[in-house]
């Protein structure tokens, strides 16, 4: 085994398990192709990085990220669906008025990225975790870049305000990458046909909401954000909620939804503060119930 790979691990872990890691790596790569060796080296490097960051499966941080990962995916799917529905209405109005002009191609690119994000998030929730999360992250980065492009000629201070505004959705989409591989949820949909059907179901749900209210006349949040979010949570299933085993986990799982609410653009700062207080009250009630039952609240995962 390349000693550089082994030195990526923390010193204590390396002393305790270095020989075992080297032997396992040797067995996995013996006679393997270059691609397989590179994949195995990448797995070793990522495992070492997770241990250094304290987010391995044996660490409280790793279990915390694992419990929050499905909710990060659900929030990402809802955020993408929300923007897809809103952009479809805007595109419809501009087409009718004949005012789409040069904004048409950029809006099409943005919608394509939101669609990629939506499909990636639901595919990850269905059980194809890594490919789905990578698609969701790529789509979120693409939609953010296309949103930012027309404003890149703005003054520098305003430009970086937009960058700061668009960064949190990318971080929420990337949050499931911190979930240790051995703590990822079991596949809910096993066949490729089933995964394809789930992706089509998500797209058809968004299309139905656009058809029902193309101009956004009805209540914006219940239609555009609430329905896709509820559908994503149904796809996540009970196992996602069963993974929350502490008040810290409850607060951490709620964070993606608060961030999504804020960056949807339809909730005021006061509304976000109200939602945050509601989450804090729920955490306090849960903590009180644990104390009352004599449960150990020191374990954060």
């Amino acid at each position: 085994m390349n000693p550089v790979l082994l030195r990526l691990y923390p010193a204590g872990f390396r002393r305790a398990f270095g020989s075992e890691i080297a032997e396992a790596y040797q067995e996995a790569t013996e006679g393997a192709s270059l691609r397989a060796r590179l994949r195995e080296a990448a797995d070793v490097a990522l495992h070492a990085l997770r241990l250094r960051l304290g987010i391995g499966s044996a660490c409280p941080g790793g279990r915390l990220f694992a419990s929050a990962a499905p909710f990060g995916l659900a929030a990402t799917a809802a955020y993408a669906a929300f923007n897809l529905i809103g952009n479809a209405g805007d595109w419809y109005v501009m087409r009718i008025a004949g005012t789409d002009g040069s904004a048409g191609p950029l809006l099409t690119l943005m919608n394509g990225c939101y669609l990629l994000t939506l499909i990636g998030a639901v595919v990850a929730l269905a059980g194809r975790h890594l490919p789905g999360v990578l698609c969701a992250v790529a789509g979120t980065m693409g939609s953010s870049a296309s949103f930012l492009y027309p404003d890149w000629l703005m003054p520098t201070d305003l430009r970086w305000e937009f960058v700061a505004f668009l960064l949190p959705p990318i971080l929420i989409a990337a949050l499931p990458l911190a979930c240790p591989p051995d703590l990822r949820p079991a596949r809910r949909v096993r066949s490729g046909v089933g995964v394809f059907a789930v992706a089509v179901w998500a797209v058809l749900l968004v299309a139905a909401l656009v058809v029902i209210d193309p101009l956004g006349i009805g209540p914006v949040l219940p239609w555009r954000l609430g329905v896709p979010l509820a559908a994503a949570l149904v796809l996540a299933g009970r196992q996602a909620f069963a993974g929350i085993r502490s008040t810290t986990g409850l607060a951490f799982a709620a964070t993606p939804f608060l961030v999504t609410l804020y960056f949807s653009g339809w909730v005021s700062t006061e509304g976000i503060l109200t939602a945050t207080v509601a989450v804090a009250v729920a955490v306090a009630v849960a903590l009180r119930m644990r104390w009352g039952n004599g449960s150990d609240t020191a374990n954060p995962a």
Side-chain angles (χ1 to χ4, degrees):
M1 181 179 184
N2 191 326
V4 175
L5 284 176
L6 197 57
R7 289 188 65 84
L8 294 176
Y9 284 95
F13 189 89
R14 190 169 62 245
R15 285 192 297 268
F17 303 104
S19 59
E20 296 178 17
I21 295 171
E23 290 175 6
Y25 178 84
Q26 185 67 28
E27 292 178 3
T29 58
E30 186 174 3
S33 63
L34 176 61
R35 180 180 178 183
R37 291 199 301 271
L38 290 175
R39 182 170 62 247
E40 192 67 25
D43 289 342
V44 170
L46 289 174
H47 184 228
L49 179 61
R50 282 193 292 269
L51 289 179
R52 285 193 175 274
L53 295 177
I55 54 175
S57 57
C59 305
R63 297 193 294 271
L64 188 64
F65 275 105
S67 66
F71 300 99
L73 289 169
T76 297
Y79 179 77
F82 174 87
N83 285 287
L84 263 177
I85 297 167
N87 283 354
D90 294 340
W91 180 85
Y92 177 79
V93 171
M94 287 192 298
R95 291 288 293 179
I96 292 297
T99 58
D100 51 338
S102 60
L106 192 61
L107 190 59
T108 300
L109 173 62
M110 190 183 302
N111 285 340
C113 291
Y114 283 131
L115 183 62
L116 178 63
T117 301
L118 174 64
I119 292 175
V122 298
V123 165
L125 285 171
R128 303 302 197 273
H129 184 88
L130 187 57
V133 173
L134 291 177
C135 285
V137 173
T140 307
M141 293 177 66
S143 58
S144 296
S146 58
F147 183 87
L148 184 64
Y149 174 75
D151 301 298
W152 198 248
L153 299 178
M154 297 175 66
T156 305
D157 54 343
L158 294 178
R159 182 193 308 167
W160 290 111
E161 282 185 16
F162 274 91
V163 172
F165 184 83
L166 295 171
L167 185 59
I170 297 175
L171 296 178
I172 293 298
L175 183 149
L177 290 175
C179 175
D182 51 337
L183 294 182
R184 291 170 185 169
R187 288 187 176 184
R188 295 178 58 76
V189 181
R190 295 191 174 275
S191 67
V193 174
V195 173
F196 178 76
V198 167
V200 171
W201 163 77
V203 175
L204 290 179
L205 176 64
V206 170
L209 293 174
V210 172
V211 170
I212 290 172
D213 190 11
L215 300 179
I217 298 174
V220 173
L221 281 177
W223 277 114
R224 295 187 183 180
L225 192 62
V227 172
L229 181 57
L233 289 174
V234 168
L235 183 59
R238 286 187 293 179
Q239 64 178 349
F241 293 91
I244 301 177
R245 299 177 181 177
S246 69
T247 51
T248 304
L250 174 62
F252 199 57
T255 300
F257 302 122
L258 296 176
V259 173
T260 300
L261 273 175
Y262 180 78
F263 287 96
S264 68
W266 287 93
V267 181
S268 64
T269 303
E270 292 77 10
I272 294 298
L273 290 175
T274 301
T276 303
V277 170
V279 170
V281 170
V283 170
V285 170
L287 189 61
R288 178 81 174 181
M289 291 175 64
R290 281 175 172 264
W291 279 343
N293 293 331
S295 300
D296 182 11
T297 59
N299 184 7

